[in-house]
Structure formats: structure tokens, C-alpha cells
Amino acid sequence: MIRLFKAIPDYEMPAYQGELYQLEVPESAVGFLIADHVPGEQVEETLLVASAEIKTGQTGRQWLQFTFNSPSGTCKGKQWLNQGTAEEAMRPYLETGIVHVKAKVEEYPVDSGNKSLTVQRVQAVHDVSGAMLLPQMPASESPSLYRDQLIGLIDQMEEPLRQIAHRVLETYWFDFSTRPAALYHHHAYIGGLLKHTACMMTIGYGICQSERPNLTLLQCIQEAEADHKNDLFQANDREMRQFAWDDSFDALYQAARSIALLNETPHQDELLLGILLHDIGKIFEYTHLGASSDRFARLLQIETEEDQVSGIALDPNGVLVGHMPYGCFVLEQALQQLAIRLPVPQYHRLMHMILSHHGKKEWGSSVTPQTTDAWYLHAIDLLDARKEKWRQTQQS
């Protein structure tokens, strides 16, 4: 059972019985979580090297900078160069992409909560599977539950939108079901995109099924705000600096106000399809160890190319376009493959939802929301991302 907001009923979908949407999820494992450690603490851990760079300061001094992955999450790291060249110091990190490090937990600025590892000793590891060190969904959660919820809600849709949704998933299921939804801020683990999308679709379906959708959205916003205020009352000075909700609540109330002014009923099936597609482009914008090498070639007229990545990272090619345009490409591909021609207004409403779901151009939106469904999608996206952040705060 997926429990999200009190205003949204619990919609439990039947277990998926088909063969198309199987899940390939590694066994759960407990890994290093930097939030559990205090500044100055010495740690020894085996970590996956998601990214490694040689950095040069204004004085010409060089150091190594890393992103490390473990089943419990992601953290930053660095190594100062005291002797030898940067290239020599980098070799253990690149040898297998898996390292055993002795390091010190640092926090900069002081009392900011921004922790990282300063590596003091490193050794390449040869007998550990890198896939087992990728950040994983919390052990208390089931990827199959989110898969069942997603497919069950899609099956509630009318044709041809249901057919379009299934064609998209059939084409990209492995990528969609394994990709994270973000690198750091929310759902930043294998399967995070599946969970984020399933939860958003549940919220969207609940809003559309209610008698007054705009008031149901407001109830969800007020519940999220109550969680936030509760955290503020209990937080110390350092924790308060970690909250970044104010802009989010301004945006949520702006969305609610715009919906009220438009005074239109949301198109349920269009909203659900828009939710499915809004982040589907992240299968191209992000990559990770074990990601399919032909995903670009399945969408575009380009050659297949192997990824050179050991953890979860931005795809250097995908970021040149971004996940919003890719989402539009995926929709157009499904329509071409199925030989479906949508009415002109419906086609543009769907594309508009994908391109506007970040809400503001300064937040990365190609355009700003102009339709009721686009405002709902933007608000639901924020709500689920912030709800996930709140759950992470409670768990830690």
C-alpha cells in the first residue's frame, strides 16, 4: 500500500501478472551513509567511484575530487596531493572503479551539514561487484509495489493514451525501472525514477478522482507545509540551514492560485500520461553502472556507444539536451511507432506538460505552465519530491 497524503485515498492496484515489466533489482545491502558520521571521525569503507576529477586551484595547487556511491547513498570526497603527480594519485581510483579508503569526515562550511570525505589512503578493490555498491531503494520498500501501482494506474486510462503509455514502457522499461530520479536531492538511487513516477501518478489520480480537485491539491500542500513547520520547530540552527522549502511552497501556492483562476477540470488521462513522460528523459540525462548501451540508438539516428561510468552520474551527452526535450522525443517516437495522430490541442497539451514541469525558466523549464494540467503536474512533482525529502529527514 502506497501511503502519501491524507487527502489522497489509498489506491491498491492488483499485483502485476505479466511478463513484460520484470524487475532486475540487486539484493539489498547496507552501505556507508555519511550523514551517520560526525566531522573529524576516521572511517574505512569500500566505495564505488562515480566520478573522479583532477582540480587545479588559483595558486596552481592540484587535488583530486570524487563522487562516491554506496548502497546507502552518495557522498563527495577529495584527496590532497602531497607528493607525486595527480595522474599517479588517480590510478587506484581508475583501476577498477572500486576502492577501499581510509578517510576523515569533514564539514565545510563548519556547522553547515555539508559533509565530505578527505581520503588519506586508498587501495583498488578487485573482488567486489560494482553493481552491489550503487545506491539502492530503502530496504523497507518494495520496487514491485511501485511497479504494480504504476501499471495498475496506466491500465485505468482510456485508449489511445493507455496504448501510448505501454509502448513507452515496453521500449524503455529496463532503463526506466533502474534509473534514479535525481543525483542528490530526492529519489537518488536505483529505482528512484520508478518510485517517483508511481507516487506522482497516485497523487494525480487521487486529485482527479476527488469532487473538488483544486481543494484536494490544497489539502496536500497544507499537509506538506505542516510537516515542514514541525521540522522547523524541532530543528537546531545547523539543521535549519539545510531546509530549502520556502521557494517550493511559494511555487506550490502559485500553482494552486493559477489552477483556481483557470477554473478547469483536469484531464485525468492526459495528466497521468504527462506524469509518466515528464521525467522519462532522465534515462538519457543520467547514467549508471549497468545502464543499457543502446538507449540513445533506440530513440535517435545515432550509433550505439558503451558508457564509461562506474556509479550514478550525469550522462555527458544527455545533459547537452536535457530530460525535457528527450521526453518530447519519446512521446513523438511512440506516436510514430503506433501510427497514432492525436488532436492538435491534445498533442500540444501533452508536450507542454513535459516542457513546463519545473515551473520556472530559472528552475530549468523550457516554458512556464499555462494549462491546468501543467500546473497540476508541476505541483505534484514538487509535492512528491519534498515528501521524499521529508521522509529521508525523518529516517535519518
Side-chain angles (χ1 to χ4, degrees), residues 180-193:
L183 290 185
Y184 304 109
H185 301 299
H186 66 92
H187 303 90
Y189 43 75
I190 298 299
L193 180 57

Side-chain angles (χ1 to χ4, degrees), residues 204 207-209 213-214 259 264-271 372-373 376:
I207 286 172
C208 291
Q209 288 290 303
N214 60 323
I259 288 167
E264 297 171 349
T265 302
H267 302 86
Q268 176 178 297
D269 290 357
E270 288 183 25
L271 178 58
T372 295
D373 296 331
Y376 271 115

Side-chain angles (χ1 to χ4, degrees), residues 2 11-14 16 21 23 143-157 162 165-166 168-170 172-173 176-177 193-202 205 272-273 275-278 280:
I2 297 178
Y11 298 106
E12 186 171 8
M13 296 296 157
Y16 175 69
Y21 306 125
L23 292 166
S144 62
L145 172 64
Y146 299 115
R147 185 268 315 273
D148 296 347
Q149 190 81 358
L150 181 86
I151 302 304
L153 289 170
I154 287 174
D155 286 341
Q156 305 292 316
M157 296 163 60
R162 178 173 60 195
H166 278 299
V168 168
L169 289 183
E170 290 168 13
Y172 297 107
W173 175 249
F176 175 78
S177 62
L193 180 57
L194 169 62
K195 176 184 175 181
H196 181 45
T197 306
C199 290
M200 280 184 62
M201 288 183 73
T202 301
Y205 183 77
L272 293 183
L273 183 57
I275 290 172
L276 175 67
L277 294 168
H278 86 288
I280 194 77

Side-chain angles (χ1 to χ4, degrees), residues 5-8 203-204 206-208 210-227 229 245 248-261 266 375-380 383 387:
F5 294 93
K6 295 174 183 176
I8 304 297
I203 297 169
I207 286 172
C208 291
S210 64
E211 291 185 8
R212 301 186 68 180
N214 60 323
L215 292 185
T216 302
L217 173 63
L218 271 174
Q219 288 175 312
C220 293
I221 295 172
Q222 290 168 350
E223 182 180 336
E225 191 171 21
D227 289 340
K229 287 179 177 177
W245 286 65
S248 297
F249 283 109
D250 288 345
L252 284 166
Y253 283 114
Q254 173 60 44
R257 180 177 181 273
S258 299
I259 288 167
L261 290 173
W375 280 116
Y376 271 115
L377 197 158
H378 171 52
I380 292 167
L383 279 170
K387 193 74 170 180

